[in-house]
Amino acid sequence: MSETQNISMIENIKSIIRDVPDFPKKGIIFKDITPLLASPETFRETIRLIAGKYKGRGITKVLGIEARGFILAAPIAVELGAGLIPVRKKGKLPYKTVSAAYALEYGEDTLQIHEDALKNGEKVLIVDDVLATGGTASAVCRLVEQLGGKVESIAILIELEFLKGRDKLSGYELFSLIKY
Ligand code: AMP
């Protein structure tokens, strides 16, 4: 596809994402990607446009962040010929884990990864649907580094620029397909 076709496809993807006001609580505008996932062409093109950025970069593992990150990370991993690693909320993974705590609006939460998920020096792509404050993605960077992996890049479908999550991730490459 030409660059012009890619730009119009990105506009298409943006237009199909649904804003749900006051979910899960008042004041939050939830970016609902289910209409995008339900559209075969838009879903396929979303994966193609993200994975296309990373071909030939030696990425061997794609990390998906629970839960919507899994949906995007799995086909991206297949496209790149890489393995898929789930990063999950505390208590969900069955084997031995390492953990990273991160701040929420009120209080904190913990993400976990299997302790044998990465080999030393392995190149990792982190994938999630939305970047808001950046707390989640920066906790996942810490998990990768605790296991001796290298964060090659962070790929996000939707970046909420006004929340400045990118500032928490300085020092890492960050690509987002759609920005608000
Ligand atoms: P943060 O740690 O603040 O960057 O939040 C990112 C995580 O929360 C991602 O895993 C998103 O799936 C979710 N998230 C945050 N804000 C939104 C939003 N407005 N719409 C949908 N998901 C969101």
Side-chain angles (χ1 to χ4, degrees):
M1 271 205 194
S2 70
E3 205 41 41
T4 321
Q5 283 170 314
N6 280 346
I7 289 165
S8 79
M9 183 48 71
I10 291 169
E11 283 309 310
N12 228 344
I13 295 167
K14 195 169 186 174
S15 69
I16 204 171
I17 293 166
R18 175 164 55 196
D19 280 359
V20 183
D22 300 324
F23 183 87
K25 54 186 167 196
K26 212 165 174 44
I28 306 276
I29 300 174
F30 192 86
K31 296 292 180 192
D32 176 18
I33 63 166
T34 60
L36 181 162
L37 300 173
S39 156
E41 193 198 8
T42 319
F43 187 26
R44 186 187 64 236
E45 290 301 311
T46 299
I47 299 307
R48 185 185 66 80
L49 287 163
I50 298 174
K53 294 272 168 204
Y54 297 107
K55 291 219 164 126
R57 286 185 53 176
I59 288 163
T60 50
K61 293 283 158 53
V62 177
L63 257 67
I65 305 177
E66 182 166 358
R68 288 174 304 279
F70 296 163
I71 300 167
L72 300 172
I76 290 170
V78 172
E79 276 279 306
L80 295 178
L84 174 70
I85 305 291
V87 172
R88 301 208 61 180
K89 301 271 168 65
K90 193 176 178 173
K92 302 278 189 182
L93 286 169
Y95 186 59
K96 290 178 225 162
T97 57
V98 295
S99 304
Y102 64 105
L104 294 174
E105 216 175 329
Y106 304 108
E108 63 169 41
D109 210 343
T110 300
L111 287 170
Q112 296 183 320
I113 189 169
H114 275 153
E115 64 170 24
D116 61 353
L118 299 174
K119 294 194 202 75
N120 224 9
E122 201 162 22
K123 284 190 185 173
V124 173
L125 174 65
I126 296 170
V127 174
D128 206 359
D129 64 334
V130 174
L131 182 77
T133 65
T136 307
S138 70
V140 177
C141 291
R142 276 185 274 132
L143 287 177
V144 170
E145 286 160 1
Q146 274 184 66
L147 296 187
K150 179 180 180 301
V151 178
E152 181 71 8
S153 189
I154 304 163
I156 302 283
L157 175 57
I158 302 162
E159 178 178 359
L160 305 178
E161 287 185 301
F162 53 93
L163 293 174
K164 305 204 182 306
R166 195 175 271 276
D167 295 354
K168 269 208 193 94
L169 297 162
S170 59
Y172 296 103
E173 179 187 291
L174 173 70
F175 166 71
S176 59
L177 192 64
I178 288 164
K179 298 171 184 30
Y180 289 92

